[in-house]
Amino acid sequence: MSKKPSLAVVGATGAVGTVMLDILSKRENVYGEIRLIASAKSAGKKLTCRGEELTVVALSPEAFEGIDIAMFDVPDEVSKEWAPIAASKGAVVVDNSGAFRMDKDVPLVVPEVNPQEIKNRPKGIISNPNCTTLSMIVAMGALHREYGLKELVVASYQAASGAGQGGLDILREQINLVANKSLGDEAGDIRKVVKDFGPFSDPLALNVIPWAGSLKEDGYSSEELKVRNESRKILGLANLKVSATCVRVPVLTTHSLAVHAIFDKEVSRSVAQEVLRNAAGVELVDDPENYRFPTPADVVGTDPTWVGRVRKSLDDPNAIELFVCGDNLRKGAALNTAQIAELVAAEF
C-alpha cells in the first residue's frame, strides 16, 4: 500500500529555506510529516508550513530517523558532511548545494530536461544545479531537443540574493545610503559613501561588478565554471562549448542571462519562439514592437523561466540570441529542489 513519504527540510530558516516553505504550502500536498531542521541556534524556532506551525529541530543524525526524503538548502560544507548521514538513515537526499553536482555517482537534475536521471542515485543523493545554470537551462533544453545544441556564449546579470541573505541585506543597506544623493558622477564618489561591501568586492548599488563566485584557474570564477560544467552534465553533452562571463547587478532577486546559442542545424526565429512558447516551465514574453520582454522586476516571485528578445543571429544561420530571466530563489533553488523531491515522492 502506498503512503505519503515524510520530508525533512534542512536549512529551513535560511533564505532558500523560507522560499521552500512557501512553495510547499502552495503546491500539491504529496507528503506526510514535514520536519524542519536547522542549526542548533535555530532549534526551537516556530515556522509555518501548509498552515501548520512547526518547531525547528537541531541538525543531528537522529533528526533523520523516519525521514524518506530530505531536502538540503545549506552551504556546501554542511551538505558534504550531513547529506551522506541522511542517506545512511534511509532518506533520499535532494541537495541544493554545490557539494555533489559534479560527482559522477550523483545525478544533476532539472525535471523539465532530464527527469529520468533521478533513479540513477547510487549514493542516495540527487543534486540541484546552481541558480545561474537553472535560470537558462530549461529554455536551452527545449531548444536543444529541437535543434541540437553545440555551443553557448552567455553573460549573466546576477542578483544580490545569489550571495545569500548577506547579499540581500547589504544591497538594501547600500541603496539606503546612496538614495537622494548626487552620486555616480565622479570616479570613486560612491566608495566615499558606501564603505561596507558585504560579500561583494565593490559597491553594488549604482554599480555592476564583473564577478560572481570564487577565483578558479586562469582567472575564471566558480560561477562561470558552474555554468559550463553543469550545462554539459544536465544536457548530456560532454563536449558542449561554453563561454560564460558572470556579472553581479544591483537587483535583489532574479538572475538574467544574455545567451548566444549555436546549434547543429539552421534555426528559425518563429519556430524557436513556438518551441519556447510550448515548453514546460517556460514563459515567452517577446514583443519588441511594444517593448515587452522579461525583466527581473516582473519575474521575481514567479516560477517559470521567462524568455524574450529571441533573434536569429545576423552572422550565423545556426545561432540564436535570447534574454532569459529566472527567480534564483525559486526555480533557481527551492522550486527545482521541490520538483525533484516530488518525482521521488511519486515512487512511494
Side-chain angles (χ1 to χ4, degrees):
M1 186 173 69
S2 64
K3 68 180 182 72
K4 286 187 174 182
S6 54
L7 174 73
V9 180
V10 186
T13 57
V16 177
T18 301
V19 175
M20 180 64 77
L21 298 187
D22 178 63
I23 287 172
L24 289 171
S25 298
K26 292 176 179 175
R27 291 178 71 82
E28 180 184 356
N29 179 15
V30 298
Y31 303 107
E33 177 193 359
I34 291 183
R35 190 177 302 170
L36 307 185
I37 301 174
S39 64
K41 67 180 182 181
S42 295
K45 189 173 182 179
K46 306 285 187 180
L47 298 174
T48 300
C49 183
R50 299 186 303 182
E52 181 182 357
E53 187 177 76
L54 302 175
T55 302
V56 176
V57 301
L59 182 60
S60 69
E62 294 72 31
F64 297 103
E65 295 288 350
I67 292 297
D68 296 310
I69 304 170
M71 299 193 299
F72 276 64
D73 296 309
V74 294
D76 292 9
E77 62 273 14
V78 179
S79 281
K80 190 172 184 178
E81 177 182 357
W82 287 95
I85 293 172
S88 73
K89 294 288 185 179
V92 177
V93 173
V94 185
D95 181 44
N96 190 37
S97 82
F100 303 98
R101 287 177 186 147
M102 301 315 298
D103 187 321
K104 63 181 179 59
D105 293 323
V106 176
L108 186 63
V109 175
V110 179
E112 295 91 342
V113 180
N114 61 341
Q116 72 282 356
E117 291 298 320
I118 69 156
K119 296 185 181 298
N120 177 29
R121 50 176 196 258
K123 291 186 176 180
I125 301 171
I126 303 167
S127 202
N128 192 60
N130 176 259
C131 53
T132 315
T133 307
L134 268 169
S135 295
M136 71 165 185
I137 205 66
V138 177
M140 299 320 302
L143 292 171
H144 170 57
R145 289 191 291 271
E146 180 71 22
Y147 293 116
L149 185 62
K150 196 165 74 173
E151 187 172 348
L152 282 173
V153 180
V154 303
S156 72
Y157 305 83
Q158 294 181 219
S161 56
Q165 188 63 46
L168 281 170
D169 293 343
I170 200 67
L171 179 55
R172 287 194 171 103
E173 180 182 312
Q174 291 180 6
I175 289 170
N176 287 331
L177 286 171
V178 302
N180 301 315
K181 293 183 175 68
S182 296
L183 294 170
D185 298 319
E186 298 178 10
D189 61 356
I190 295 171
R191 293 176 186 270
K192 294 176 181 176
V193 174
V194 176
K195 307 290 188 182
D196 185 357
F197 303 159
F200 309 119
S201 61
D202 300 89
L204 187 56
L206 301 179
N207 202 17
V208 299
I209 304 171
W211 188 264
S214 57
L215 177 63
K216 300 299 181 181
E217 289 184 10
D218 298 321
Y220 283 92
S221 78
S222 57
E223 290 283 308
E224 291 159 352
L225 296 182
K226 286 173 187 176
V227 172
R228 179 178 187 264
N229 297 333
E230 293 176 17
S231 295
R232 288 177 161 191
K233 186 173 180 178
I234 294 163
L235 297 172
L237 298 172
N239 297 315
L240 178 67
K241 294 180 179 179
V242 182
S243 174
T245 300
C246 290
V247 181
R248 193 74 70 181
V249 297
V251 168
L252 289 167
T253 299
T254 294
H255 289 351
S256 305
L257 296 97
V259 180
H260 173 82
I262 304 172
F263 298 92
D264 291 326
K265 54 188 178 182
E266 185 169 352
V267 299
S268 158
R269 182 190 182 212
S270 61
V271 172
Q273 288 172 318
E274 191 64 19
V275 167
L276 293 166
R277 187 177 290 112
N278 294 323
V282 174
E283 193 75 29
L284 182 70
V285 180
D286 192 24
D287 183 9
E289 289 78 14
N290 293 299
Y291 305 105
R292 292 197 66 241
F293 26 72
T295 72
D298 301 309
V299 168
V300 64
T302 67
D303 290 340
T305 296
W306 295 74
V307 185
R309 300 299 323 280
V310 179
R311 294 148 288 151
K312 184 171 180 173
S313 173
L314 296 175
D315 300 309
D316 185 344
N318 289 18
I320 204 163
E321 326 281 353
L322 48 85
F323 188 77
V324 184
C325 286
D327 186 317
N328 55 295
L329 297 183
R330 293 187 74 84
K331 181 58 178 176
L335 175 62
N336 199 74
T337 305
Q339 289 174 306
I340 296 170
E342 287 169 4
L343 291 177
V344 176
E347 299 176 4
F348 286 81

